[in-house]
Amino acid sequence: MLKIDNLHVKLEEEDKQILKGLSLEIPAGQVHAIMGPNGSGKSTLSYVLSGRDGYEVTEGSATLDGQSLLDMEPEQRASAGLFLAFQYPVEIPGVGNMTFLRTAVNAQRKARGEAELSSGDFLKLVRAKAAELQISPEMLKRPVNVGFSGGEKKRNEILQMAMLEPRMCIMDETDSGLDVDAMRLVSDGVNALRSPDRSFLVITHYQRLLNHIQPDVVHIMANGRIVKSGGPELALQVEEEGYGDLLAEAG
Amino acid sequence: MTATIDLEVREGVDRETVETVQSMGSYKYGWDTEIEMDYAPKGLNEDIVRLISQKNEEPEWMLEWRLEAYRRWITMTEPKWAMLNYPEIDYQDQYYYARPKSMEVKPKSLDEVDPKLLATYEKLGIPLKEQMILAGVEGALPSPGVDMAIAASEGRRVAVDAVFDSVSVGTTFKDELAKAGVIFCSISEAIREHPELVKKYLGSVVPQSDNYFATLNSAVFSDGSFVYVPKGVKCPMELSTYFRINAENTGQFERTLIIADKGSHVSYLEGCTAPKRDTHQLHAAVVEIVVLEDAEVKYSTVQNWYPGDEEGKGGIYNFVTKRADCREARAKVMWTQVETGSAITWKYPSCILRGDESQGEFYSIAIANNMQQADTGTKMIHLGRNTRSRIVSKGISAGKAQNTYRGLVTMHPRATNSRNYTQCDSLLIGDQCGAHTVPYIEVKNTSSRVEHEATTSKVDDDQLFYCRQRGMDEEEAVALVVNGFCREVLQALPMEFAMEAQSLVAISLEGSVG
């Protein structure tokens, strides 16, 4: 599904290399987690894959289902099935959450040559999915993320994910700022979306999220590269020992 | 259940915006109508003033009024205080009167109007046949004015006065309005048929000597709309005027006079468009509104004159004086404007709050893109006790445009216990445009309160990226963010206007990103 090969990325503004030959492959249906110390380039990876401005790819490739992501506009990547759950979801004053969702859903359907959802179908769908995430009808009417608590913002990201039904979900520190209950809600939402033709890349600092969302593979990232990959036990090791030994081992 | 319905309506509105952005070209009303015209000779002098008066078959007093204005005008100089930059206007190089030949003999009813003119309005989405309005219109372009199809589908009707260059082509629903006692006709007809009302109120809000452009208008106005709503009458339908400039090198100088007698209510809509021309065209209008005791007037404008091209070639010079006088106690007026057109906009719809406890409101969206320049705002003149005013202004600048909010709030010594609240927000798109806020505040008593809040922000790259990551293209994303920014004002518009305004916001900003 997602294949990243020898990816080198630098900041556009300054001559600073962030990713230095990162390679990663996530087959369909799998959940991969990336852990790593601050400044290892985890968030950069999520931004480069989703097409945010400010980064320059100097070498390497990234493909989704064989299509090169790096040549596409952000919205084309989205319609191709790439979804990024933001670490800091953005506020859009004056734009109703429901309006935003509906515009997004229909924009993607249109881009894929599908018919737009009717008003009735859309409402039915959004209500059902919102209820699962304990998102109130009132929250659907409020402006996008404006005045939302940390937990509400993250649940809202998962609601968007559920509505857009992406093939490849990247979650950038979705657990940051969540209390135990919110973490469970978010994880349940994500687990409900797991399917044989959908993959996840979960970026996190902490192992505890991975108790709720069981990964197939855990990668340790440091200094712009994957330095070690393994099973879920690798996350437990990090939790117990920190990154020190792992990084020393990887040189 | 109520909540659901409300939600669905709003959803629909936003979807409309997005669809329109995707389906529409830039300026949709830039075509012209090929029609034989009668022009007055080029230039301006007393003979031209006399000619206009004669063409309108006016009584002597009206001609004198015009001549007085003209004689004053030639002693005046054009105001230069606005933040607007444009080459000297040659007032002698314009036509001041242009009338379709077929209008020489005034049609007695809409059935007699030249089919070409009817077709023009049809194409603009303003059908002038009453039965068609009732049936709803299919296939018409979304109109820059009143969306008849929506009005009809809601079981609401809108009466239209259609002004083409210098003359009123026709007015719909006149008979039905007359049954309610409402007079709705062209101002030239009102001068002939209701001289007592015109004499009493014309120039009573905007005097002939008010300002350079209003004085020019007083001398040469050729047509416009007249409304009188009698005591205690709630106007049974919305009224509207649709202004179309068609002829080349011709100025449009319309004059609108609205009188809401004691306890009456009326909602009035105004729409404007013009063909794409390489040369600038002058538009200097005057709108006067008289609001008597306990009466209420809502005046909404969607101004979509041709804004000129990306290099600033062509476009309308729009110098407009609009003022409402809340002459008696508890009179209420609300201005709502969406300004997307014109190369130059100079316009300050104002409220004189003379009556005790009278109220004035001003809601504005002003968008300037490419080389457009807008200097617009409002004046709230508090003269009566316990008067209230509210100003919500949203200015959006893109391209190389300059957008200025200029406002005056004044509390006179007698206007005790009065309140004003002003909110003035500017949004910048790109790094070559400008936003300016020039508020003047004068408080001459100790019991009144004036609040002013202002913000300036840029369309945030993070917001755009967030929208695009969810699948919207860049223009859709900008339209969504900007519509969010304008939300409070869009919600103040009548439904028929709100949809159109949303799409206009999007279209006006086309090409502003990327």
Side-chain angles (χ1 to χ4, degrees), chain B residues 80-300:
Chain B
K80 293 285 178 205
W81 42 260
M83 252 191 81
L84 301 169
N85 221 326
Y86 55 94
E88 203 72 30
I89 298 170
D90 184 351
Y91 290 90
Q92 296 305 334
D93 191 29
Q94 315 255 347
Y95 292 105
Y96 286 82
Y97 190 85
R99 177 177 72 181
K101 275 224 166 85
S102 56
M103 293 293 293
E104 195 172 334
V105 179
K106 290 214 183 323
K108 286 189 190 65
S109 71
L110 286 167
D111 298 336
E112 293 176 15
V113 171
D114 185 346
K116 260 190 186 170
L117 288 169
L118 293 177
T120 299
Y121 285 91
E122 191 101 358
K123 196 170 167 189
L124 291 165
I126 309 286
L128 295 178
K129 301 256 181 188
E130 295 176 10
Q131 67 275 21
M132 285 190 63
I133 299 174
L134 285 164
V137 197
E138 279 175 37
L141 291 169
S143 84
V146 188
D147 201 316
M148 298 299 173
I150 298 169
S153 70
E154 289 188 339
R156 290 161 64 184
R157 290 168 303 162
V158 180
V160 182
D161 183 25
V163 177
F164 188 88
D165 290 324
S166 304
V167 291
S168 167
V169 170
T171 311
T172 60
F173 290 111
K174 270 169 83 165
D175 295 341
E176 200 175 328
L177 286 166
K179 278 185 204 142
V182 176
I183 303 170
F184 181 42
C185 61
S186 70
I187 193 131
S188 53
E189 186 180 329
I191 291 166
R192 292 190 303 268
E193 308 290 329
H194 308 282
E196 66 303 336
L197 286 170
V198 176
K199 258 188 191 171
K200 185 170 175 190
Y201 292 109
L202 187 75
S204 74
V205 185
V206 180
Q208 282 153 299
S209 57
D210 193 78
N211 69 71
Y212 188 79
F213 299 107
T215 305
L216 173 64
N217 174 286
S218 301
V220 301
F221 77 86
S222 47
D223 222 335
S225 303
F226 176 83
V227 178
Y228 173 76
V229 189
K231 270 180 205 163
V233 171
K234 190 168 192 299
C235 190
M237 63 185 86
E238 308 229 25
L239 307 182
S240 71
T241 304
Y242 190 92
F243 296 102
R244 175 77 175 168
I245 298 181
N246 189 64
E248 227 170 332
N249 298 320
T250 303
Q252 191 175 54
F253 306 92
E254 83 270 3
R255 187 142 192 139
T256 298
L257 177 58
I258 299 173
I259 302 141
D261 213 327
K262 291 180 200 293
S264 66
H265 284 240
V266 62
S267 171
Y268 186 91
L269 321 172
E270 176 203 295
C272 354
T273 59
K276 284 185 183 179
R277 307 254 189 232
D278 288 347
T279 49
H280 297 289
Q281 277 177 287
L282 185 61
H283 175 254
V286 171
V287 175
E288 293 182 274
I289 304 178
V290 179
V291 196
L292 301 181
E293 197 175 78
D294 291 308
E296 221 176 297
V297 176
K298 186 171 176 174
Y299 192 106
S300 315

Side-chain angles (χ1 to χ4, degrees), chain B residues 41 48 99 114 151 164 211 347 365 402 417 436 465:
Chain B
I48 295 289
R99 177 177 72 181
D114 185 346
F164 188 88
N211 69 71
K347 179 182 169 186
I365 298 171
Q402 295 295 329
N417 293 309
H436 316 273
F465 177 63

Side-chain angles (χ1 to χ4, degrees), chain A residues 50 52 73-75 78 82-84 91 93-95 98-100 102 104 107-108 110 123 145 157 160, chain B residues 3-4 7-8 11 14-15 18-19 22 462-463 465-473 476 480 484 487:
Chain A
S50 54
R52 191 192 180 112
E73 294 294 334
E75 60 271 23
L82 186 86
F83 180 93
L84 171 63
E91 297 184 2
V95 177
M98 189 82 104
T99 301
F100 179 81
R102 186 180 164 135
Q108 292 203 13
K110 221 170 182 177
L123 274 175
N145 292 321
E157 292 291 289
Q160 294 178 15
Chain B
T4 316
L7 193 63
E8 277 171 342
E11 284 299 317
D14 283 295
R15 192 173 39 127
V18 166
E19 278 167 6
Q22 287 162 343
D462 286 343
Q463 288 175 337
F465 177 63
Y466 191 62
C467 295
R468 295 180 74 188
Q469 207 303 304
R470 299 302 185 246
M472 299 169 218
D473 66 34
E476 240 178 315
L480 194 75
R487 176 63 77 209

